[in-house]
Amino acid sequence: MPTPNPEAKYRTISGIQRVLNSVTRHLPTQTVLETTGRVSGKPRRTPLGGRRVGTTFWLVSEFGELSHYVRNIKADPEVRVRIMGRWHTGTAHLLPDDDPPAPACAPSPASTARRSGRWAQTC
């Protein structure tokens, strides 16, 4: 069996997600991350999955730093997250060396940072 090419997988899945995301980002129950475009400066909304634990929202980026929303967070960590139709503001923190399954299931309180009474955390 041939070894899958990670770049080909990224291009294929990104193409599919681009089509699906244009529809799902408008659904009121879909969780959406809003970042500021690193080049355009415009708001960029990405439907995604994640988990809210208390006032912290955790997500795992499937493609790590290849994901445009991760690149946008690196340029400007101020984000908004829409959960069940309600927007929450916060500052995202990238945790590239963290174990991806761990934060999604049980985040460490010591690794979070507070801003404006809201929390946002990415890894």
Side-chain angles (χ1 to χ4, degrees):
M1 180 176 224
T3 305
N5 178 342
E7 183 64 28
K9 177 184 174 188
Y10 172 75
R11 282 194 312 269
T12 301
I13 291 179
S14 292
I16 293 168
Q17 287 175 338
R18 194 170 295 115
V19 172
L20 293 176
N21 288 353
S22 65
V23 174
T24 59
R25 76 174 52 119
H26 299 291
L27 300 174
T29 57
Q30 173 67 50
T31 300
V32 175
L33 172 69
E34 183 181 84
T35 59
T36 301
R38 64 193 175 281
V39 176
S40 69
K42 296 179 180 178
R44 299 297 181 196
R45 293 184 177 177
T46 306
L48 46 75
R51 181 174 179 200
R52 186 174 181 174
V53 179
T55 56
T56 302
F57 182 77
W58 292 88
L59 67 94
V60 176
S61 172
E62 180 179 4
F63 293 106
E65 293 190 23
L66 288 177
S67 298
H68 288 275
Y69 66 85
V70 172
R71 294 176 186 182
N72 290 342
I73 288 169
K74 286 177 81 172
D76 181 359
E78 302 305 309
V79 299
R80 292 193 324 150
V81 179
R82 186 182 74 194
I83 304 169
M84 297 301 293
R86 185 165 177 239
W87 286 99
H88 306 271
T89 60
T91 303
H93 300 273
L94 301 174
L95 303 173
D97 297 328
D98 210 350
D99 178 19
C105 298
S108 165
S111 66
T112 58
R114 186 171 184 180
R115 170 164 170 74
S116 303
R118 301 280 185 225
W119 302 72
Q121 186 110 12
T122 63
C123 56

